[in-house]
Amino acid sequence: MNVLPLGLHIPEPQPCFGRADVSGSHLSDAGRVPRPAVDVEAREIRHLAYDLIRVLDGDGRAVGPWSGACTADQLRSGLRAMLKTRAYDARMTMMQRQRKTSFYMQCTGEEAIACGSLTALQAGDMNFPTYRQQGLLIAQDWPVVDMMCQVLSNEKDRMKGRQLPVFYSAREAGFFSISGNLATQYVQAVGWAMASAMRGEGRVAAAWIGEGATAENDFHAALVFASVYRPPVILNVVNNQWAISTAQSVAGGEGATFAARALGYGIPALRVDGNDYLAVHAAACWAVERARRNFGPTLIEWVTYRAAPHSTSDDPSKYRAQEDQAAWPLGDPIERLKDHLIGRGAWSEPRHVQLKAELDEEIAVAAKEAQSYGTLMEGTKCSPASMFDDVYKQMPTHLREQRQELGF
Amino acid sequence: MPSLTMIEAVRDAMDVMMARDDRVVAFGQDVGRFGGVFRCTDGLQGKYGASRCFDTPISESGIVGIAVGMGAYGLRPVAEIQFADYMYPAYDQIVSEAARLRFRSAGEFSAPIVVRMPCGGGIFGAQTHSQSPEALFTHVAGLKTVIPSNPYDAKGLLIAAIEDDDPVVFLEPKRIYNGPFDGHHDRPIVPWSKHELSETPQGHYTVPIGEAVVRREGSEVSVLAYGTMVHVAEAARRSVGIDAEIIDLRSLVPLDIDTIVRSVTKTGRCLIVHEATRTSGFGAELSALVQERCFYHLETPVVRVTGWDTPYPHAQEWDYFPGPNRVGRALMRLMEA
């Protein structure tokens, strides 16, 4: 018997649109992927898990069945949200470099996904975000000073200096408390949506995860529970190609798309150009409508690229080539929406430059205000006595004693 | 007052709370239609409907994860892990999420959940049906850990746990589900109906979390125990004829340190008994606390009788389980010292 020697396959570190596209998933042309009815069965749209829903073509025109009917005002508002998110990220990164805080994480290149998805949700719905969906807050004009105070861990930090920067919590904004433990929120979102269904209250949950964290057990748990109980949840997978230094191929992206994960659970899946604001908006609206009308969960893989370092503690040049990013074929979400609006006659270069300057100024003013309440290294912080609060609803005796031991 | 078993008391607690508060929901593996492998949820699905009491996939992380999400929504989930030995896949959700949600969100979100899990040995359950993992919960800030020793407490503590706004790990010693077990495995099983603490009021009442109870007053030595070991300690005391004061802790976190200190200050001796393995077990925390607070009243070193530092064996069950002989010998040693 002629047997080949065994050998372990270790995936090459390449993104799915890198030098070689080994996932078998190709760039679909804009407008080519059909838009099914929201009550479609998962098995009827299996191919959507391997295609790519895109609306904006190479010339910035909106084409095809997902092009929808966004008004120019809605799109300008989306553009503003994305620009503001990017300006916020830039300013906070600078403040980390100035040692005003310990840590920061940008979402550069991924702004369309959070900002565009948010437009599909209503007050009362709940996002279960990761640390890279700050656009969910900024797109609803949540006060950036409040976000900054959290990053700076100052006296106005509503998290009272307990959490790592960017781990926001904003219940009023439908933004669930961020945890450092990856994937845990994915199954919690399913539980939250189950509760909504049990109460018959029509609120939907949006779960968020990166492609790297889909390898965690809770990703599987979430899909099983979503499959069994069919609660109103949108299962978002942001495939930005990189989990710190690890390419999506090592997360299991080589043999199948992340959208295709849903098929085995009987959950309808979409695979969407995450840098196409119009496609994001349309796909999110489709999934939310499905959920709201009790047709159950949808998984959406957003294909995008993590343009920035993983965090301020990361140096991507150590593990990925500049050419990889340059070769990224889906471009920049802000530039693409800008070009579309200009093509529609609803925007212009000078207005864009002016808006960007206004937002930079707005963020700078906010940053100044936030710093006036203190920074991690200087100024006032929440009292150490507050460290013992909220461990339990009422402080038990042993914590009271420990607080006294600390001198409070 | 009706006489209930631990199983009936646990079920009655959920029944009372599901009737009082439509936010209370119960779920876990085999919990719904079948009524639980230990019958603790028997009849609840029929009475309250499948959306209040239902079966889940075999996924402990999923079970606790959805409970956290439901709690954040505003429900009062009572999740069951079929055996405490199988809580490990859920440990991330319990420790990283349920326990810390209130703290990390500065009170914006919380996890008012109960995670029930049958625990403890004495049933030939071997490695994965006998464990007592309470120390893995008591070490976690933000969790409350409760373990009843009789039907009256089981019902009152579970109702208190469901009403509590903090996450509660509710450990149910399965060896005493059907009757009090004093460690004399060679004697006939005694049913709960012969025990005064099976007298369980109908309807709503609570046993406060954080309050120990002195089961038997004594003057010579204080015995700190919980769960099955309360009964073992009582049998051991009787057999050696020592006037021991037996304290049923009931709640490990928060701990009723005042009751412990009062007792050890009076007796000058302290014996700690638990089924769980010794090293870094909850007994170590109890011993340290007694040492810190009662040092000048102690006439002898604090003694621990616990499970050995081995995985729980099958054939060697009665050499592993800290039965009345071992506890009795420890009591005598303490009195000789």
Side-chain angles (χ1 to χ4, degrees):
Chain A
M1 201 164 70
N2 192 9
V3 182
L4 288 171
L6 292 173
L8 189 66
H9 173 68
I10 307 291
E12 284 295 309
Q14 55 197 2
C16 74
F17 290 103
R19 282 154 295 201
D21 180 9
V22 286
S23 71
S25 52
H26 301 283
L27 275 180
S28 314
D29 290 333
R32 197 180 57 76
V33 178
R35 185 181 188 282
V38 292
D39 59 350
V40 72
E41 295 287 336
R43 62 176 178 276
E44 296 171 48
I45 56 164
R46 298 175 71 88
H47 61 284
L48 291 194
Y50 284 94
D51 282 332
L52 194 67
I53 294 169
R54 310 179 69 197
V55 169
L56 295 174
D57 69 11
D59 300 320
R61 284 178 308 213
V63 294
W66 292 89
S67 62
C70 279
T71 65
D73 270 345
Q74 285 172 322
L75 293 178
R76 281 190 295 257
S77 160
L79 187 66
R80 183 177 187 280
M82 291 197 289
L83 277 168
K84 189 170 170 184
T85 303
R86 194 165 288 184
Y88 176 79
D89 276 356
R91 173 64 60 167
M92 300 321 286
T93 302
M94 189 163 91
M95 287 169 88
Q96 191 277 336
R97 295 298 182 223
Q98 294 167 342
R99 303 174 69 86
K100 287 172 179 153
T101 186
S102 61
F103 184 74
Y104 190 71
M105 303 177 99
Q106 304 180 76
C107 67
T108 315
E110 301 175 36
E111 294 91 345
I113 300 164
C115 295
S117 289
L118 184 84
T119 57
L121 297 170
Q122 293 174 3
D125 296 339
M126 185 66 72
N127 281 285
F128 288 74
T130 76
Y131 45 67
R132 225 184 289 281
Q133 276 81 48
Q134 51 266 55
L136 293 171
L137 287 170
I138 292 172
Q140 59 182 299
D141 279 326
W142 185 261
V144 285
V145 172
D146 179 79
M147 296 169 70
M148 289 169 170
C149 289
Q150 196 282 331
V151 173
L152 296 174
S153 290
N154 63 22
E155 65 178 8
K156 290 221 172 181
D157 172 13
R158 287 182 307 109
M159 306 303 97
K160 302 184 179 174
R162 294 171 188 163
Q163 279 268 53
L164 201 62
V166 314
F167 288 16
Y168 312 105
S169 179
R171 191 181 184 109
E172 277 174 73
F175 191 98
F176 187 73
S177 159
I178 294 174
S179 165
N181 297 72
L182 295 180
T184 48
Q185 75 289 345
Y186 219 57
V187 67
Q188 292 163 2
V190 172
W192 195 95
M194 286 172 69
S196 170
M198 288 151 87
R199 305 294 282 180
E201 287 173 353
R203 298 151 157 233
V204 310
W208 293 89
I209 201 167
E211 94 286 346
T214 62
E216 293 279 6
N217 302 329
D218 277 345
F219 176 70
H220 167 69
L223 265 60
V224 174
F225 280 72
S227 166
V228 171
Y229 304 108
R230 300 183 201 169
V233 62
I234 294 86
L235 301 158
N236 297 285
V237 178
V238 180
N239 178 3
N240 67 12
Q241 316 302 321
W242 294 97
I244 309 185
S245 72
T246 308
Q248 58 91 36
S249 52
V250 179
E254 212 173 59
T257 67
F258 292 93
R261 279 16 179 198
L263 300 181
Y265 299 88
I267 296 173
L270 309 178
R271 192 162 176 274
V272 182
D273 179 345
N275 289 12
D276 178 341
Y277 185 89
L278 279 78
V280 171
H281 171 80
C285 286
W286 187 86
V288 170
E289 190 190 341
R290 264 181 62 74
R292 195 99 60 202
R293 290 175 60 188
N294 207 30
F295 296 128
T298 307
L299 186 142
I300 307 177
E301 176 186 350
W302 306 103
V303 181
T304 184
Y305 194 90
R306 196 198 77 210
H310 166 70
S311 72
T312 49
S313 307
D314 176 49
D315 174 8
S317 72
K318 296 276 194 286
Y319 54 81
R320 71 182 187 191
Q322 201 59 44
E323 306 93 78
D324 283 352
Q325 191 175 340
W328 177 247
L330 298 180
D332 179 282
I334 292 177
E335 293 303 312
R336 284 174 67 192
L337 181 56
K338 181 186 88 172
D339 291 346
H340 169 71
L341 277 168
I342 290 174
R344 260 166 95 149
W347 198 239
S348 68
E349 278 292 351
R351 284 177 76 184
H352 193 78
V353 171
Q354 191 194 346
L355 175 62
K356 194 171 169 307
E358 279 170 18
L359 290 169
D360 286 345
E361 176 62 14
E362 186 184 329
I363 294 292
V365 169
K368 204 169 176 190
E369 184 189 340
Q371 285 180 75
S372 75
Y373 307 126
T375 68
L376 180 65
M377 306 305 174
E378 287 175 355
T380 45
K381 284 190 277 290
C382 269
S383 162
S386 72
M387 182 162 70
F388 300 92
D389 295 333
D390 299 323
V391 180
Y392 300 91
K393 188 167 187 189
Q394 263 109 34
M395 193 181 299
T397 314
H398 67 285
L399 282 183
R400 208 169 290 282
E401 288 174 359
Q402 289 171 28
R403 191 180 65 181
Q404 282 164 3
E405 201 179 321
L406 187 64
F408 295 94
Chain B
M1 277 199 294
S3 168
L4 303 184
T5 66
M6 280 270 274
I7 290 167
E8 289 164 341
V10 165
R11 179 167 65 224
D12 196 26
M14 284 186 274
D15 191 358
V16 166
M17 287 311 295
M18 288 174 84
R20 275 170 77 99
D21 184 346
D22 66 2
R23 299 170 305 165
V24 177
V25 294
F27 50 85
Q29 292 159 32
D30 305 299
V31 159
R33 197 180 159 93
F34 180 60
V37 293
F38 291 108
R39 319 310 302 151
C40 287
T41 50
D42 194 22
L44 295 179
Q45 185 177 83
K47 192 165 174 185
Y48 298 101
S51 67
R52 298 280 307 280
C53 177
F54 55 89
D55 294 318
T56 62
I58 305 172
S59 168
E60 289 78 10
S61 180
I63 290 167
V64 178
I66 62 163
V68 172
M70 289 176 182
Y73 189 94
L75 300 189
R76 295 266 166 177
V78 185
E80 178 182 306
I81 302 294
Q82 203 159 74
F83 287 86
D85 314 63
Y86 301 129
M87 69 82 183
Y88 303 102
Y91 200 54
D92 191 26
Q93 286 287 348
I94 295 172
V95 175
S96 310
E97 300 294 317
R100 304 202 179 134
L101 185 54
R102 181 187 298 282
F103 181 78
R104 77 172 197 232
S105 69
E108 269 203 344
F109 296 94
S110 60
I113 71 172
V114 179
V115 185
R116 292 180 41 240
M117 47 182 98
C119 69
I123 59 150
F124 283 107
Q127 289 186 40
T128 56
H129 296 80
S130 305
Q131 292 170 34
S132 299
E134 63 271 15
L136 299 177
F137 300 118
T138 57
H139 189 56
V140 178
L143 290 182
K144 293 181 176 173
T145 303
V146 170
I147 177 164
S149 69
N150 59 74
Y152 178 90
D153 283 356
K155 180 175 172 182
L157 278 168
L158 184 51
I159 290 175
I162 295 169
E163 291 181 337
D164 200 291
D165 291 321
D166 294 314
V168 181
V169 174
F170 194 83
L171 294 159
E172 299 167 9
K174 62 183 115 40
R175 187 60 182 80
I176 55 173
Y177 265 155
N178 287 304
F181 177 66
D182 62 8
H184 286 289
H185 52 93
D186 46 351
R187 296 180 189 169
I189 291 165
V190 183
W192 273 116
S193 56
K194 302 256 198 287
H195 195 290
E196 58 175 4
L197 288 172
S198 71
E199 300 280 311
T200 308
Q202 286 180 307
H204 180 276
Y205 69 92
T206 59
V207 170
I209 292 174
E211 285 186 16
V213 63
V214 177
R215 289 284 169 223
R216 182 197 184 271
E217 293 203 12
S219 61
E220 295 183 307
V221 52
S222 303
V223 181
L224 312 184
Y226 48 90
T228 306
M229 301 317 291
V230 174
H231 305 282
V232 174
E234 173 58 25
R237 181 208 66 77
R238 229 180 294 123
S239 67
V240 296
I242 288 169
D243 187 25
E245 179 147 298
I246 295 174
I247 299 175
D248 181 350
L249 298 177
R250 299 196 290 202
S251 168
L252 308 187
V253 176
L255 182 70
D256 184 354
I257 189 69
D258 290 346
T259 297
I260 295 170
V261 169
R262 208 177 303 125
S263 176
V264 178
T265 303
K266 176 178 74 178
T267 63
R269 291 179 171 86
C270 180
L271 174 67
I272 294 159
V273 191
H274 61 58
E275 291 182 60
T277 50
R278 183 170 306 164
T279 303
S280 302
F282 191 64
E285 179 63 29
L286 291 170
S287 175
L289 285 168
V290 168
Q291 197 84 356
E292 285 163 6
R293 293 171 196 237
C294 309
F295 184 77
Y296 295 106
H297 297 274
L298 283 174
E299 292 168 34
T300 65
V302 176
V303 171
R304 286 179 283 165
V305 175
T306 66
W308 308 119
D309 282 338
T310 69
Y312 204 109
H314 186 235
Q316 299 82 9
E317 171 110 69
W318 303 116
D319 296 300
Y320 179 94
F321 185 90
N325 291 342
R326 273 176 61 201
V327 176
R329 281 200 301 276
L331 281 172
M332 289 193 289
R333 248 195 349 264
L334 266 161
M335 293 314 298
E336 286 160 8

